[in-house]
Amino acid sequence: MQRTDYLTNARLLIQNHAEVVILAAQMSPLKNVTVVGASGTLGMPLVKALQEAGFHVTALSRAGSPSTPPAGVVVKKVDYASPEALREALAGQDALVSAIATTATGEQYPFIDAAIAAGVSRIIPSEFGINTRTVSHPGLKAMLYSKIKLVDYLQEKSTENPGLTWTGISNSFFFDTIKKGTGFGFDLKTKTATIVDSGDEPFDLATLDFVVKAVVAVLSSPEKTANQYITVSGTVTTQNQLLEIIREETGGDWNVEKVASAKYEEVGNEKLSKGDYSCFGDFLHVLLFADGAGQAFHHPANDLLGLERQDARATLKALLAGGSL
Ligand SMILES: NC(=O)c1ccc[n+]([C@@H]2O[C@H](COP(=O)([O-])OP(=O)(O)OC[C@H]3O[C@@H](n4cnc5c(N)ncnc54)[C@H](OP(=O)(O)O)[C@@H]3O)[C@@H](O)[C@H]2O)c1
């Protein structure tokens, strides 16, 4: 086959794929989607993916916010303390996706009330981490209190208002965190790996690209996930598997330190007792990496949403090279 034929075929494939994706959004009863926190780490790629899927996207931002919203999106800067202003901003919207900052997850109640008043039919709250419905670690439960209570409220309100449905999405860690240089026990600068217990405990990761695909899939077929808290899994891996790939990709020697999960528990509790919320990271090491933690998602909603798992090696290589999959 000539090179030009390959290019033509590739263009056709891309075009067909785009048409299929747009068709999925066109077939959804949800057309107008408001994103809270659109300028954030998750919000930015989320807006792009929703637009590419054919949704009409509006970004809701705090009045006076210094953030720069993504290009090409309608922006409504609103005083979140004003129920009328919020209701007005949500009039005509079919869905509300919150990608608000972790520290502001307790401030999502007014969005739910305004969404009910405006007739919004689906809310996706700002979860996007570990499963807050099943988390039992006392320290993490305390840290995730505002997320847990918010989903309780959403559940209660959707029962009272059948027109309102919700979907909670848990995706474990963002794989992209590795790009910051210190994710999952790997310090890329000092080439030091901190392995918890044996390092063989399986856990889930998902790239931001994967997480936003999950949101698009939920909004494209909302009936499949109405009033459910779902888990999606990009990839299942272990610290030792990541270490092997990172060693291959970065070359050179890595210092490997072994730390018992009990140590993280002890340090986390000590920090928590002093009001030092960096204990979250210590507790996460216990929750996900400790031998026997059992946190890998066994029945993720991937099939339901048509999401394929990501290959750990290819994804990590792409992330280390500055991209994503
Ligand atoms: N699984 C993981 O590894 C992982 C990692 C990080 C985050 N997450 C989760 O993903 C979700 C989004 O997090 P993110 O890191 O993308 O958020 P982010 O970038 O920290 O912030 C998102 C947006 O929230 C708004 N915001 C910030 N402070 C606020 C406040 N005090 N009150 C109201 N709005 C405020 C801002 O939007 P405006 O300025 O436009 O108002 C900001 O751009 C959260 O639920 C978080 O827990 C998961």
Side-chain angles (χ1 to χ4, degrees):
M1 198 188 281
Q2 297 291 312
R3 187 168 176 272
T4 45
D5 294 336
Y6 276 122
L7 287 174
T8 309
N9 284 346
R11 272 192 209 105
L12 276 174
L13 271 175
I14 291 166
Q15 193 182 323
N16 289 345
H17 174 71
E19 278 165 8
V20 168
V21 173
I22 286 177
L23 198 63
Q26 280 170 352
M27 286 170 68
S28 171
L30 311 175
K31 309 284 181 214
N32 299 323
V33 180
T34 286
V35 175
V36 181
S39 51
T41 307
L42 177 63
M44 282 278 192
L46 177 59
V47 167
K48 188 166 173 272
L50 288 169
Q51 285 175 323
E52 284 172 1
F55 292 99
H56 303 295
V57 186
T58 299
L60 202 58
S61 181
R62 291 165 292 170
S65 156
S67 315
T68 309
V73 71
V74 175
V75 182
K76 291 185 183 168
K77 295 222 171 194
V78 173
D79 174 5
Y80 291 171
S82 163
E84 299 77 36
L86 271 180
R87 184 172 30 83
E88 208 173 293
L90 292 178
Q93 295 298 300
D94 303 310
L96 173 75
V97 186
S98 175
I100 208 164
T102 312
T103 49
T105 47
E107 294 169 36
Q108 297 173 99
Y109 295 89
F111 302 131
I112 298 175
D113 296 341
I116 293 168
V120 172
S121 64
R122 176 64 53 93
I123 294 184
I124 299 179
S126 191
E127 285 284 307
F128 305 114
I130 58 176
N131 187 330
T132 64
R133 296 284 93 188
T134 58
V135 64
S136 59
H137 184 281
L140 282 170
K141 263 187 112 165
M143 302 288 296
L144 292 165
Y145 183 80
S146 54
K147 281 191 172 183
I148 294 169
K149 286 291 150 198
L150 193 281
V151 177
D152 288 348
Y153 185 74
L154 198 43
Q155 226 165 355
E156 187 189 312
K157 286 293 159 186
S158 69
T159 307
E160 288 169 16
N161 302 277
L164 173 75
T165 58
W166 63 277
T167 308
I169 302 176
S170 161
N171 48 252
S172 194
F173 264 130
F174 292 163
F175 210 153
D176 306 60
T177 306
I178 199 84
K179 288 198 222 175
K180 290 186 180 165
T182 52
F184 327 120
F186 300 99
D187 187 326
L188 296 176
K189 268 200 191 123
T190 61
K191 291 195 171 174
T192 305
T194 310
I195 302 295
V196 179
D197 295 343
S198 71
D200 286 328
E201 182 63 24
F203 58 91
D204 294 89
L205 293 173
T207 60
L208 284 164
D209 289 352
F210 182 90
V211 176
V212 302
K213 265 188 205 153
V215 177
V216 168
V218 165
L219 296 179
S220 298
S221 304
E223 68 292 343
K224 290 182 183 171
T225 55
N227 302 327
Q228 289 174 45
Y229 192 94
I230 60 167
T231 54
V232 292
S233 171
T235 189
V236 178
T237 187
T238 65
Q239 278 194 304
N240 283 338
Q241 188 194 11
L242 293 178
L243 176 59
E244 186 191 315
I245 304 166
I246 287 176
R247 267 185 168 141
E248 280 170 21
E249 290 306 307
T250 59
D253 291 334
W254 271 71
N255 307 312
V256 179
E257 292 172 359
K258 292 255 183 184
V259 179
S261 51
K263 187 69 193 165
Y264 279 102
E265 185 73 35
E266 186 190 319
V267 171
N269 282 324
E270 205 178 304
K271 286 182 183 172
L272 185 61
S273 70
K274 291 177 188 158
D276 174 356
Y277 296 133
S278 69
C279 60
F280 192 66
D282 298 286
F283 291 145
L284 276 182
H285 277 71
V286 179
L287 180 86
L288 297 173
F289 308 147
D291 284 351
Q295 285 299 308
F297 298 145
H298 294 297
H299 303 290
N302 291 29
D303 289 348
L304 183 72
L305 300 176
L307 300 169
E308 275 179 33
R309 274 215 164 96
Q310 303 178 293
D311 176 70
R313 185 173 295 271
T315 307
L316 183 49
K317 278 172 77 164
L319 288 170
L320 291 173
S324 184
L325 279 185

